């Protein structure tokens, strides 16, 4: 059985709701994504941060969760830091209510294809996540979860079919995204508490 890992990449967050401190917002998003990882089955989980954000990761991870320090907050840097895995997926750190099923759909194509990407729902720039068979294909371009789109990933592939495009989800990067949060949807407890004002700032 393939050894698989799902990594939450806690990259920069450039927006927070009015009246919410950006650092507190980023921490709440990260906490919820890390909690999501804890619910996944049949995969190992980890967190990746730049050295400057190591304290953020250490404060939030579950006991035993690996924390990888990377020189830059990109999927390529994360893949390069991993050893001993057959497959890996990197997720953005601003998807607090991401369904676990969506993560599974990102990994599933790797049985037949070397790369899979999950777009940002609604057609915006960037990716929700990317999954690869390891070692990383030599044609994989430099990826930025904030700006890369599926067409960019496919551009260097030997065949367009080498890159599967899976189910997307929206990221919380602006007011329009915030308005799509469903209070009835389970999870995203830290983000929910911060938005409701019931959580003290850190």
């Amino acid at each position: 059985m393939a050894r698989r890992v799902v990594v939450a990449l806690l990259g920069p967050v450039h927006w927070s709701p009015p009246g919410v401190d950006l650092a507190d917002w980023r921490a709440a998003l990260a906490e919820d994504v890390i909690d999501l990882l804890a619910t996944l089955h049949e995969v190992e989980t980890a967190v990746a941060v730049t050295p400057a954000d190591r304290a953020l990761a250490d404060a939030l991870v579950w006991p035993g969760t690996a924390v990888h320090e990377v020189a830059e907050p990109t999927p390529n840097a994360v893949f390069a830091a991993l050893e001993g895995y057959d497959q890996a997926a990197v997720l953005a750190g601003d998807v607090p209510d991401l369904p676990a099923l969506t993560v599974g759909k990102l990994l599933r194509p790797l049985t037949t294809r070397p790369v899979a990407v999950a777009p940002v729902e609604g057609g915006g720039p960037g990716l929700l996540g990317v999954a690869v068979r390891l070692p990383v294909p030599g044609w994989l371009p430099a990826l930025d979860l904030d700006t890369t789109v599926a067409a960019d990933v496919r551009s260097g592939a030997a065949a367009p079919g080498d890159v599967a495009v899976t189910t997307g989800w929206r990221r919380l990067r602006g007011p329009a995204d915030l308005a799509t949060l469903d209070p009835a949807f389970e999870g995203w407890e830290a983000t929910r508490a911060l938005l409701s004002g019931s959580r003290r700032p850190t």
Side-chain angles (χ1 to χ4, degrees):
M1 186 174 181
R3 188 181 178 200
R4 303 181 295 174
V5 63
V6 177
V7 184
L9 176 56
L10 306 185
V13 171
H14 304 290
W15 171 88
S16 63
V20 178
D21 180 79
L22 184 62
D24 293 334
W25 178 244
R26 184 187 185 199
L29 296 175
E31 182 175 347
D32 284 335
V33 173
I34 290 170
D35 286 350
L36 161 70
L37 295 185
T39 70
L40 301 179
H41 302 288
E42 299 181 358
V43 296
E44 296 179 48
T45 59
V47 170
V49 290
T50 61
D53 289 324
R54 179 63 189 248
L56 171 68
D58 287 343
L60 298 175
V61 294
W62 290 62
T65 301
V67 177
H68 299 283
E69 290 190 11
V70 292
E72 58 182 11
T74 66
N76 306 72
V78 176
F79 295 142
L82 301 174
E83 296 182 359
Y85 294 101
D86 303 299
Q87 301 175 4
V90 175
L91 301 176
D94 52 8
V95 285
D97 62 339
L98 179 68
L101 184 62
T102 302
V103 182
K105 289 180 177 179
L106 178 61
L107 288 164
R108 191 170 300 134
L110 298 183
T111 58
T112 58
R113 306 188 198 189
V115 177
V117 295
V120 174
E121 193 175 65
L127 298 170
L128 159 70
V130 57
V132 301
R133 291 185 203 157
L134 297 173
V136 174
W139 52 260
L140 190 72
L143 304 173
D144 184 326
L145 292 180
D146 288 336
T147 60
T148 300
V149 295
D152 300 329
V153 185
R154 283 179 163 162
S155 64
D162 286 343
V163 179
V165 180
T166 67
T167 303
W169 194 258
R170 48 106 181 88
R171 295 170 55 187
L172 295 188
R173 298 189 290 181
D177 303 314
L178 189 66
T180 65
L181 282 170
D182 183 355
F185 193 84
E186 293 184 1
W188 60 285
E189 299 299 332
T191 303
R192 190 193 310 262
L194 189 60
L195 289 172
S196 71
S198 61
R199 175 175 174 154
R200 289 186 175 183
T202 55

